[in-house]
Amino acid sequence: MKEERGSAWDRVWVGANLATMQPGTDPYGTRLDAAIAVRGEAIAWIGASVDAARIAAQDGVPVHDASGRWITPGLIDCHTHLVYGGNRVAEFERRLRGESYEDIARTGGGIQSTVRATRAASHGELYAGAARRAARLMAEGVTTIEIKSGYGLDGATERRLLEVARSLGRELPVSIRTTYLGLHALPEEFAADRRAYVEAASGPWLDAIVGAGLADAADAFCDSIGFTVGETEGYLGAARRAGLAVRVHAGQLCDIGAAELAARCGALSADHLEYLSVAGVSALAEAGTVAVLLPCAYFMLHQQDPPPVAALRQAGVPIAVATDCNPGTAPCTSILIALAMACTLFGLRPEEALQGATVNAARALGLAGDRGTLEVGKRADFALWEIDRPAELCYGLGANPCVGVVYGGRERAAV
Ligand code: NIG
Ligand code: FE
């Protein structure tokens, strides 16, 4: 059998318990005492440890002993705003004294204050901050990170943010997917002319970003203090025509029908969804749009009504979980904390949470054919964990049981 020829392997990990996350009867796709072989950047073989050891010995393949550790697919953080200047700790204090996120935003704080700090920051400063945050995610087994712009809100600065994101992907051993978040907030200089802003963001700025190959997708904040369904629809339509995948920040602060819009536009994902109607759930299910849940933002804003997880589950909407790492609502660089919160605050089961940072996160990025499960032919991105069972990844608040990462078939050194 072709796959039993160790000469087709570069190296193999034996003695592992695999959570392949392949859909099936067991929600983790568990394979105990298993082995995983790689060739180049791809997974070449998965099978029983004893077979792998025999084949490797015959063919002189380098063997790594996983010593009973668990191996999962490399984790995927499918929603972050990792590149920004400054921080918003003063607003955190204001919120603790009783001001709301919306009121702070309406009086020139919130996203606007990060826009001011970001415009004033150099490429090097933005890169250094984002690289620090990426390193923390990577230490927890993350191998793919989505990064949005949205703190520039002018053509040049939006491009700069995406350039910083792309350069992270070139410099660091992690895959970066970039998202142009042109409609995040209305910048001060356009306060008197919303329409001109939406036109610029949907026209020349979008074209320049697409022309330079800087974005894989487009996103918009379609909500009370963001943009209307009409504004968002025009922008997403332009993004689609320009060849980008689309996603929507929907239902974070109120339900204005953004989830239905996401479904209508064929969005890969609708994100947040604390405010989501029955019709919104059905629309997502029908369109196959992934619901990306962001429990760290919910926690930081001290929100009280979680997304309708039971309805999403029952309708068969794929659920992903991400950090939403950003300076305002989720200054969080721990995907494992996001998984824990998804369980305790939103009622996800640990297997659903882990699906949310692997197979369903890959789907939210349009990468399901290439990563998100341990499967022959997929990218050899995986993480090794010192845990007794996979649910422990959602349990050890602040603990990091990641003891190794393989990225594109090679052991990744700590960054
Ligand atoms: O995903 N809600 C919109 N965007 C971000 C927050 C941005 C900010 O406050 O800086 C979010 O929560
Ligand atoms: Fe976000």
Side-chain angles (χ1 to χ4, degrees):
M1 266 159 68
K2 185 166 173 277
E3 71 270 21
E4 296 238 331
R5 284 184 34 231
S7 54
W9 306 348
D10 292 339
R11 56 196 72 85
V12 61
W13 280 258
V14 302
N17 296 316
L18 306 184
T20 67
M21 304 314 290
Q22 272 195 279
T25 44
D26 168 52
Y28 293 107
T30 302
R31 296 183 73 151
L32 299 178
D33 202 7
I36 179 165
V38 305
R39 180 177 171 84
E41 296 196 334
I43 296 172
W45 185 91
I46 291 174
S49 223
V50 42
D51 295 335
R54 179 178 38 80
I55 297 164
Q58 268 165 21
D59 292 346
V61 178
V63 174
H64 299 259
D65 185 0
S67 307
R69 289 167 174 145
W70 281 84
I71 294 182
T72 65
L75 301 187
I76 298 172
D77 192 350
C78 70
H79 180 141
T80 84
H81 309 245
L82 212 67
V83 184
Y84 58 82
N87 71 52
R88 303 244 290 280
V89 63
E91 290 181 13
F92 173 61
E93 294 180 289
R94 282 171 66 183
R95 286 205 306 276
L96 290 173
R97 286 196 296 267
E99 285 183 72
S100 73
Y101 178 69
E102 289 95 322
D103 286 344
I104 293 171
R106 285 194 189 102
T107 51
I111 295 170
Q112 303 291 352
S113 85
T114 298
V115 169
R116 288 190 289 274
T118 302
R119 287 178 178 174
S122 68
H123 179 103
E125 288 163 341
L126 293 172
Y127 181 91
R132 242 187 342 263
R133 292 184 276 276
R136 291 194 203 115
L137 291 172
M138 292 162 70
E140 289 188 342
V142 170
T143 51
T144 300
I145 305 173
E146 183 259 14
I147 300 178
K148 302 174 196 299
S149 61
Y151 290 123
L153 307 186
D154 63 49
T157 315
E158 285 295 301
R159 271 204 310 283
R160 196 146 59 85
L161 295 179
L162 295 167
E163 279 160 10
V164 170
R166 284 279 196 239
S167 56
L168 285 169
R170 283 192 300 271
E171 301 296 326
L172 300 177
V174 65
S175 298
I176 301 291
R177 301 293 285 182
T178 57
T179 301
Y180 167 49
L181 178 51
L183 299 193
H184 198 192
L186 188 67
E188 282 148 354
E189 64 274 21
F190 281 92
D193 198 350
R194 295 183 66 85
R195 184 195 288 233
Y197 180 77
V198 174
E199 278 175 14
S202 315
W205 302 353
L206 169 71
D207 294 342
I209 283 165
V210 171
L214 286 170
D216 303 308
D219 193 349
F221 182 28
C222 183
D223 213 312
S224 54
I225 58 167
F227 292 84
T228 66
V229 167
E231 290 164 341
T232 305
E233 190 153 21
Y235 163 85
L236 294 181
R240 289 212 60 156
R241 285 191 296 281
L244 298 183
V246 300
R247 317 183 49 182
V248 185
H249 278 71
Q252 181 185 21
L253 305 172
C254 66
D255 182 6
I256 59 170
E260 288 89 330
L261 168 68
R264 219 164 42 242
C265 295
L268 286 174
S269 73
D271 305 43
H272 286 287
L273 302 174
E274 279 80 7
Y275 296 88
L276 178 64
S277 67
V278 173
V281 172
S282 311
L284 295 177
E286 240 163 77
T289 298
V290 178
V292 178
L293 306 187
L294 304 167
C296 300
Y298 174 89
F299 170 79
M300 286 301 285
L301 296 183
H302 205 241
Q303 290 182 275
Q304 302 300 318
D305 300 308
V309 164
L312 290 167
R313 186 187 281 139
Q314 194 175 355
V317 176
I319 297 174
V321 177
T323 60
D324 195 15
C325 177
N326 77 75
T329 64
C332 174
T333 48
S334 170
I335 189 76
L336 299 181
I337 293 262
L339 298 186
M341 286 188 179
C343 295
T344 54
L345 300 177
F346 291 173
L348 259 63
R349 301 169 190 135
E351 59 268 29
E352 292 174 317
L354 193 56
Q355 285 160 358
T358 53
V359 57
N360 290 342
R363 188 163 164 180
L365 297 180
L367 296 174
D370 179 56
R371 61 194 72 187
T373 60
L374 300 177
E375 251 176 277
V376 172
K378 284 198 176 177
R379 242 189 98 77
D381 287 353
F382 47 88
L384 288 87
W385 307 94
E386 191 85 61
I387 51 175
D388 291 336
R389 49 200 284 183
E392 207 173 323
L393 296 179
C394 307
Y395 159 83
L397 269 190
N400 180 11
C402 183
V403 291
V405 174
V406 173
Y407 178 69
R410 294 183 176 278
E411 276 182 300
R412 185 171 82 180
V415 289

